[in-house]
Amino acid sequence: MPDSYYIEPVQAVLRHFVEDFRNIVARDAGTAALMPNLRTATERLLVDPSWIDETFRKPVPGTTATWAVYRSQDPDLCIFTMVVPPMGMTKVHNHLTSGWVGLVQGAQIERKFVRRDDGSRPGYAKVELISEDPIRLGELTPLEHPHHDIHQVVTASAEASVSLHVLCNDLGAVERQTFEPEQDGVTDFISGYTNVGGGSLIGR
């Protein structure tokens, strides 16, 4: 089955990672070994991030850019870069999956939140800030659904921050949520990808 989206030309480090990912998920899905083993594979992907060329580091003024690198057809894997403009920030948001995020350019602060309500009231969510930590270049941070899945990213540098996301879904095609902690609000959205267009490709 062909891939939905792949860097062309495909970098060898990326192809090797996708093969590693498939083997790890086939072996460790549903076990405690999955996240640690995915971390080890993702660390190898980030040993030399020069394969992430300027196409995938480009900021979009006034918004957060998400540049798709790889999307599996299943879909059980997406790899993309998130580019947050200098001194900008994302909304508080979730991912509805697990995976790893690695910082490859600039500096960031990650604010982690936990949801305290049961989700039964439309448009209402009670989320609480539980940590606020600086992220260093090359550092990997986990996303683990459902308990460690809500965060906000702030660029803390004069250049745009770029983080590589390796997640176990096709994030740009998933209906998920943004949160407004001060108003106890929640909104559904589908983020898409900056470099992938058309309704047939997003939300499939």
Side-chain angles (χ1 to χ4, degrees), residues 121-138:
R121 290 174 54 185
Y124 175 86
K126 187 71 174 180
V127 297
E128 177 186 347
L129 178 67
I130 57 172
S131 65
E132 185 170 356
D133 300 299
I135 306 299
R136 299 181 299 273
L137 279 176

Side-chain angles (χ1 to χ4, degrees), residues 34-167:
L34 179 64
M35 284 292 286
N37 288 336
L38 286 180
R39 177 186 180 120
T40 300
T42 306
E43 285 175 338
R44 291 197 294 269
L45 190 64
L46 288 175
V47 166
D48 179 7
S50 62
W51 66 270
I52 306 172
D53 67 28
E54 290 305 312
T55 302
F56 301 95
R57 298 173 182 252
K58 183 169 61 177
V60 176
T63 190
T64 297
T66 52
W67 301 104
V69 175
Y70 172 89
R71 301 164 68 208
S72 65
Q73 189 74 279
D74 295 328
D76 63 355
L77 170 61
C78 69
I79 303 171
F80 65 92
T81 57
M82 185 179 76
V83 185
V84 184
M87 312 313 293
M89 67 181 68
T90 69
K91 295 181 178 181
V92 180
H93 61 278
N94 63 11
H95 308 80
L96 304 182
T97 193
S98 298
W100 290 95
V101 181
L103 186 62
V104 298
Q105 177 181 300
Q108 290 181 343
I109 295 170
E110 183 186 30
R111 297 171 178 159
K112 295 182 179 179
F113 294 78
V114 63
R115 187 167 183 171
R116 298 299 189 190
D117 69 295
D118 63 7
S120 61
R121 290 174 54 185
Y124 175 86
K126 187 71 174 180
V127 297
E128 177 186 347
L129 178 67
I130 57 172
S131 65
E132 185 170 356
D133 300 299
I135 306 299
R136 299 181 299 273
L137 279 176
E139 182 176 354
L140 280 173
T141 56
L143 295 170
E144 297 183 81
H145 179 70
H147 301 299
H148 304 285
D149 183 37
I150 303 174
H151 75 173
Q152 179 183 43
V153 173
V154 181
T155 294
S157 54
E159 64 175 338
S161 66
V162 180
S163 51
L164 183 71
H165 290 59
V166 175
L167 301 180

Side-chain angles (χ1 to χ4, degrees), residues 6-15 51 53 55-56 69:
Y6 228 141
I7 284 179
E8 292 293 346
V10 181
Q11 300 289 335
V13 63
L14 180 62
R15 188 180 296 281
W51 66 270
D53 67 28
T55 302
F56 301 95
V69 175

